[in-house]
Amino acid sequence: MTSWSGLNTAYFTEDKDDHIYNALVKSIVEHQLLPGNKLPEEALAQAFSVSRTGIRRVLQRLAAVQLVTLLPKRGAHVTSPDADESRDVFTTRKILECANLPQVVAHCQSTHIAALKKLLEEEKLAHESRNGPAAIRLSAAFHVQLQAISGNKVLTEAVSQLTLRSSLAIAVWGAPWQQGCRCTDHDVLLDLLKNRDAKGLADSMAHHFDHIVASLRFESHQDCAPDFMQLFAADAVKADKEAL
């Protein structure tokens, strides 16, 4: 199955729990559910037409990948990373992604360039049309697919998981208009990859992450309660059909 970031992964299978998990991950990383939002079992169970037990299983899985925080007597909330954790997430991504770029360059073929170019064109269209959720998803997918060229599945999966947490950090600390990465940065990265300039690519990637962190505003944010029935109406119908 294809994950929210556009890669074929083993994260999601075909049962109803997985469809709910996928829908919640997508809504969190695309900033439809914001850090700090409460995730009440009863409201989610009604939205997806499932039992609270099923919702509880999904919330536990989301907690395992640090997208949700479970607190005794307070229930589940979308994780709200503090400033230090947010910086650490981007620092870790910078270390992993930059270190792997020589392998990316070594394994890169024309088909990889074409796929990244297509992805970048879609990202630009999302920004131009002010489609925030798509811009965030495509921005993350660019980074994940770039690293996937190396063939290192373990590192690619780690980067994929870190992009989820990056989205949370941007939701908490980013400016209201901030939607993923700057397309112009990705243009530069793609050009350097075409030229097989491993050093230039690593330097530009490091600068790219430095810019993202510098753009974050480490101030408090306000919570806004989501409408679960409206948010997941289409996903609930889809899950019901596929469960038949």
Side-chain angles (χ1 to χ4, degrees):
M1 178 176 287
T2 301
S3 75
W4 74 275
S5 63
L7 289 180
N8 291 322
T9 71
Y11 298 152
F12 312 117
T13 54
E14 296 297 330
D15 65 31
K16 194 164 188 177
D17 279 7
D18 289 307
H19 284 292
I20 297 170
Y21 177 87
N22 196 356
L24 285 168
V25 168
K26 187 172 184 291
S27 295
I28 290 170
V29 299
E30 293 183 353
H31 299 176
Q32 295 170 325
L33 289 174
L34 296 173
N37 279 165
K38 189 172 183 179
L39 301 172
E41 293 177 5
E42 184 174 356
L44 288 171
Q46 291 176 351
F48 286 106
S49 300
V50 297
S51 69
R52 292 181 63 176
T53 300
I55 292 298
R56 195 173 298 123
R57 286 195 302 267
V58 172
L59 292 176
Q60 289 169 344
R61 288 174 59 187
L62 290 167
V65 294
Q66 302 182 60
L67 294 184
V68 164
T69 300
L70 301 176
L71 297 173
K73 299 183 180 179
R74 292 184 57 190
H77 295 76
V78 178
T79 297
S80 183
D82 62 21
D84 287 340
E85 180 181 342
S86 297
R87 290 189 184 97
D88 288 346
V89 166
F90 284 108
T91 297
T92 303
R93 283 190 61 187
K94 179 179 174 180
I95 293 170
L96 288 177
E97 294 188 40
C98 290
N100 194 46
L101 289 175
Q103 290 300 311
V104 170
V105 171
H107 289 82
C108 185
Q109 300 179 12
S110 59
T111 53
H112 297 131
I113 296 293
L116 287 174
K117 182 178 179 181
K118 182 176 183 298
L119 188 60
L120 188 52
E121 290 171 351
E122 293 174 358
E123 183 186 0
K124 288 178 180 178
L125 287 174
H127 279 281
E128 290 171 1
S129 62
R130 297 186 180 277
N131 186 341
I136 294 167
R137 182 180 69 254
L138 293 164
S139 175
F142 179 89
H143 280 265
V144 176
Q145 292 194 26
L146 176 64
Q147 296 299 322
I149 294 171
S150 70
N152 187 330
K153 294 182 179 180
V154 173
L155 185 141
T156 302
E157 182 175 347
V159 169
S160 181
Q161 291 293 339
L162 284 168
T163 62
L164 306 184
R165 298 176 66 183
S166 298
S167 181
L168 286 176
I170 291 174
V172 177
W173 306 110
W177 45 263
Q178 194 164 355
Q179 299 172 345
C181 304
R182 297 187 303 182
C183 287
T184 52
D185 285 2
H186 290 173
D187 274 326
V188 172
L189 294 172
L190 184 56
D191 285 342
L192 290 165
L193 180 62
K194 289 178 183 176
N195 294 328
R196 297 190 173 276
D197 184 353
K199 184 181 184 304
L201 185 58
D203 289 344
S204 292
M205 182 69 81
H207 177 75
H208 179 51
F209 281 118
D210 289 342
H211 175 267
I212 293 173
V213 174
S215 72
L216 299 180
R217 306 183 306 176
F218 293 108
E219 303 165 356
S220 60
H221 67 285
Q222 296 180 346
D223 294 333
C224 180
D227 183 338
F228 296 107
M229 293 297 291
Q230 180 178 357
L231 185 59
F232 297 118
D235 293 294
V237 171
K238 180 180 177 181
D240 284 336
K241 289 181 178 179
E242 295 187 3
L244 296 177

